[in-house]
Amino acid sequence: KAKQSSLMSFFQKK
Amino acid sequence: MFEARLAEGGILKKVLDAIKELLNEASFDCSEAGLQLQAMDNSHVSLVSLNLRAEGFENYRCDRNMSMGMNLASLVKIMKCSANDDVLTIKAQDNADVVTFVFESKNGDRVSDFDMKLMNLDQEHLGIPETDYACVIKMPSNEFAKIVRDLSQFGESIAIACSKQGVKFSSTGDIGTGNIKLAQNSSADSDDKVVVDLQEPVTLTFASRYLNSFAKAAGLSEKVTLSMSPDVPLVVEFKVATSDNDYGYIRYYLAPKIED
């Protein structure tokens, strides 16, 4: 089953 | 001080409708360039990026950058006190702990004002890299809203497959499977056009619930743009515009579902 990823794994905190 | 006058106050109502399902509170960042908001939902799956350009306002003044933290449910209550065609002025003193909303009826014989307490929100901003997307789909926003609504009845995920043939939206669940295919078309009525700009085919899967929340922005714009690349967040963009004014945009970023 596909798992929901987090935005934090794509975008860095500024 | 900050003061911004919006000839069509109803625009802010529509913007609120487009973000209130995803966010409980958010900071409106005011600068000379305009009003910006960037916030993730609580589970860090989606992000809202709103940009209302200073030029879109009838009057716009921002002496120094400030961040106004607002409870969106409270803001909804205040906006309910206005008519869609009221002229809206938002104002705040420097370092103030309240923001004032003034509504003026079109004929000028009714003026109301509401102060709302500001909140101190410790919001983290994310840097979003410039990306060349493998697929960019432009389609009528009402159609996007209907597809997402229809397929949400099937499963909690919707797969979006973009290829030379067009775009296919699919969802599978307990009752079965739904597929909706859109071909690129060049109908004379450009409003109904689906246009795909394709570098390479992409299929990604997303949570139906978030796509449904994004579709609440369909009232802002007749068109929506979906941008996808393999294994990166989807971007769903609606222009905030009327026939005679370009206010800016609202963009949603949504992290994909990834095979375990």
Side-chain angles (χ1 to χ4, degrees), chain B residues 185-225:
Chain B
N185 63 38
S186 48
S187 78
D189 184 356
S190 67
D191 285 348
D192 292 337
K193 257 191 190 170
V194 176
V195 180
V196 179
D197 183 0
L198 185 89
Q199 311 298 321
E200 56 168 314
V202 181
T203 299
L204 289 172
T205 302
F206 302 100
S208 315
R209 182 164 78 84
Y210 289 95
L211 294 174
N212 253 317
S213 295
F214 303 167
K216 299 290 185 291
L220 282 168
S221 174
E222 290 184 350
K223 293 270 175 198
V224 60
T225 306

Side-chain angles (χ1 to χ4, degrees), chain B residues 139-153 158 169 180 182 208-224 226 236 238:
Chain B
M139 62 186 287
S141 54
N142 289 340
E143 177 135 46
F144 172 71
K146 176 158 172 50
I147 289 171
V148 166
R149 203 166 53 231
D150 290 350
L151 290 181
S152 297
Q153 304 179 103
I158 295 176
F169 298 83
I180 299 171
L182 299 179
S208 315
R209 182 164 78 84
Y210 289 95
L211 294 174
N212 253 317
S213 295
F214 303 167
K216 299 290 185 291
L220 282 168
S221 174
E222 290 184 350
K223 293 270 175 198
V224 60
L226 314 179
V236 179
F238 297 85

